[in-house]
Amino acid sequence: NPAMQSMPFDMPQPEEPVNDFVEMPVSQPAQPPQPVDDLMNLAEPAQPAEEPEVDMMDMNERKKKILHSIISEYIKSAEPVGSRHVAKSLDMGLSSATIRNEMADLEEMGYLEQPHTSAGRIPSDKGYRLYVDSLMKNCELTVNDMAVFDHVLGWQLGQLDSIIKQVSVVLSELTNYTAVLTTPEMKRGAIKTVELVPVDASSALIILVTNEGVMKHKRVLLPAGANSDFVHSFSNLLREKLSGLTLDEIGAPKISEIRHAMRAHFELLFPVLDFIAEIIDDVRAETEIFTSGAAKILDYPEYSDVRRAKAFLEFLNDKSAMVEILSNGDEAASENGGLSIRIGKENMQDIMKQSSVITANYYVGDKVMGKLGIIGPTRMDYPRTIAKIKKISAILNRLLYELYVDEE
């Protein structure tokens, strides 16, 4: 597997979902379970449901158990689920005829659908939404999962884009879905530090680090007579005068101030300023997207149609489309601890109507730096996927904090 070869360590195999039904009271309308922490607050649908709301008093305990059983089995098998399987899995002493009647009610209520070629039922988007919001419970991570996360925490920290790229690979391999991550968008690029390091008698290396953690460097020629002492003094001067400034703040008065302080070799100042302008313009121009495991969609029967699979892969390679996918849930995420879940027709793009998207914010301190997300079929193992994206988000927060805050 080419994706696995890119991993820096052996990856545990995907695990089967667990039967994780949560008992819900009959006497009151069902409410989402209380979150373990902020990220587990689940998102409301991105778009209003077309069907009229069904009184949850009609969704009795038996119907909930039957719906949960059908969804759990369909997530595993991708095959329509019949009454016989439900009767065996629930062991409630109900006849197949009774279960068929309940399944017919659930279909009429909009929670199940019946493919024309089968007597079994499959969940609708509305059924998945009820499952995510009310029926499933939080999933505990396995020992193998935790071993992977511990390994990630032990990474040698590098540049921001390197960390994001590696995290996208880990997230895709852990979930067996397509992972998408964004780097921070730098709307007003500022300089964290800038240094000039001698390379040899005739050249030096400019190193610039932005306040978003992006590091760039460029080699420049030194003027004749500019020795290492001058380079060191000039480096200190640049750091003193430019650290914390945005590009817009480096105007004629600031350049004049630096030039007056230099006293000699003024010509070196201009390639340095040109490089700073070039780097900050590049960094703040647009968000970078890292996508990992795009071909994993081919593992799922929902994408077995060659034409549809090709169109979906092309969609995943569209950078602007991926930015839109990750930003569509911003409003819901802001109200639900940074986590957003969009199921099927809740997605705005036509090609995503049979897919689900789970996204989470990542932070440095309390500042949102970017997003990470999972794209897969609506028949997604929601409990495990939510637990893993929540954990990797927390780890990414910690890595970035160590890289850009602790070092200060």
Side-chain angles (χ1 to χ4, degrees), residues 208 210 214 216 274-284:
L208 183 144
T210 72
V214 178
K216 300 290 183 180
D274 286 345
F275 171 69
I276 292 171
E278 174 188 328
I279 293 304
I280 294 186
D281 274 348
D282 287 347
V283 169
R284 70 181 180 179

Side-chain angles (χ1 to χ4, degrees), residues 54-71:
V54 175
D55 185 356
M56 287 303 297
M57 291 298 289
D58 294 337
M59 179 60 80
N60 59 36
E61 189 71 15
R62 190 160 69 185
K63 284 185 173 66
K64 292 173 192 173
K65 289 185 176 181
I66 290 171
L67 180 61
H68 184 278
S69 176
I70 291 171
I71 293 177

Side-chain angles (χ1 to χ4, degrees), residues 174-216:
L174 279 174
T175 60
N176 207 35
Y177 301 123
T178 302
V180 184
L181 283 84
T182 65
T183 55
E185 182 176 0
M186 192 172 170
K187 297 187 182 297
R188 294 188 75 227
I191 298 169
K192 180 176 180 180
T193 187
V194 59
E195 293 190 29
L196 201 63
V197 180
V199 175
D200 52 38
S202 61
S203 65
L205 197 66
I206 309 172
I207 302 173
L208 183 144
V209 181
T210 72
N211 62 347
E212 302 290 354
V214 178
M215 183 175 71
K216 300 290 183 180

Side-chain angles (χ1 to χ4, degrees), residues 82-371:
S83 57
R84 286 187 179 182
H85 173 84
V86 176
K88 290 179 181 178
S89 66
L90 291 182
D91 193 24
M92 294 173 62
L94 300 175
S95 67
S96 292
T98 299
I99 292 175
R100 280 195 297 272
N101 289 336
E102 295 284 21
M103 290 169 66
D105 288 346
L106 287 167
E107 182 179 355
E108 185 177 352
M109 296 165 72
Y111 296 108
L112 294 178
E113 297 173 352
Q114 184 175 27
H116 66 280
T117 57
S118 171
R121 305 299 203 282
I122 64 174
S124 66
D125 291 350
K126 184 176 179 179
Y128 282 124
R129 174 52 64 185
L130 180 63
Y131 173 77
V132 165
D133 287 347
S134 302
L135 301 183
M136 72 177 192
K137 70 175 183 179
N138 299 338
C139 176
E140 294 292 331
L141 295 170
T142 66
V143 173
N144 285 342
D145 292 334
M146 295 308 298
V148 172
F149 293 131
D150 287 343
H151 185 96
V152 173
L153 283 171
W155 283 348
Q156 293 296 316
L157 301 181
Q159 294 187 40
L160 176 63
D161 54 355
S162 175
I163 295 174
I164 299 298
K165 185 175 183 179
Q166 291 181 73
V167 167
S168 72
V169 175
V170 171
L171 185 57
S172 177
E173 292 298 333
L174 279 174
T175 60
N176 207 35
Y177 301 123
T178 302
V180 184
L181 283 84
T182 65
T183 55
E185 182 176 0
M186 192 172 170
K187 297 187 182 297
R188 294 188 75 227
I191 298 169
K192 180 176 180 180
T193 187
V194 59
E195 293 190 29
L196 201 63
V197 180
V199 175
D200 52 38
S202 61
S203 65
L205 197 66
I206 309 172
I207 302 173
L208 183 144
V209 181
T210 72
N211 62 347
E212 302 290 354
V214 178
M215 183 175 71
K216 300 290 183 180
H217 57 79
K218 183 178 181 178
R219 192 167 179 170
V220 295
L221 294 178
L222 293 174
N227 58 27
S228 59
D229 289 340
F230 170 80
V231 172
H232 179 72
S233 298
F234 185 41
S235 179
N236 290 338
L237 178 64
L238 290 174
R239 188 164 53 250
E240 175 189 344
K241 300 296 185 182
L242 299 181
S243 294
L245 298 182
T246 66
L247 182 63
D248 295 337
E249 294 170 332
I250 306 175
K254 181 60 65 175
I255 294 172
S256 177
E257 181 183 339
I258 296 173
R259 181 170 179 171
H260 178 74
M262 286 178 66
R263 299 180 181 176
H265 303 301
F266 306 130
E267 62 270 32
L268 182 57
L269 177 59
F270 298 104
V272 171
L273 293 176
D274 286 345
F275 171 69
I276 292 171
E278 174 188 328
I279 293 304
I280 294 186
D281 274 348
D282 287 347
V283 169
R284 70 181 180 179
E286 54 183 330
T287 301
E288 190 168 2
I289 299 289
F290 290 100
T291 302
S292 183
K296 289 184 182 296
I297 66 165
L298 303 178
D299 295 337
Y300 298 96
E302 291 88 341
Y303 305 94
S304 59
D305 179 84
V306 175
R307 184 178 302 176
R308 180 170 183 260
K310 181 181 178 182
F312 199 82
L313 287 171
E314 290 175 352
F315 178 77
L316 293 178
N317 287 325
D318 185 335
K319 182 175 179 178
S320 61
M322 291 300 97
V323 172
E324 184 180 11
I325 283 288
L326 292 178
S327 62
N328 279 346
D330 280 350
E331 184 175 347
S334 66
E335 299 173 357
N336 294 281
L339 191 70
S340 168
I341 302 172
R342 299 190 305 283
I343 300 169
K345 295 181 179 63
E346 295 172 4
N347 290 296
M348 298 177 63
Q349 301 82 358
D350 288 341
I351 200 168
M352 292 293 294
K353 299 299 185 184
Q354 292 178 285
S355 303
S356 287
V357 182
I358 302 177
T359 64
N361 295 331
Y362 66 88
Y363 304 79
V364 170
D366 58 358
K367 179 183 178 182
V368 176
M369 294 287 285
K371 285 183 174 290

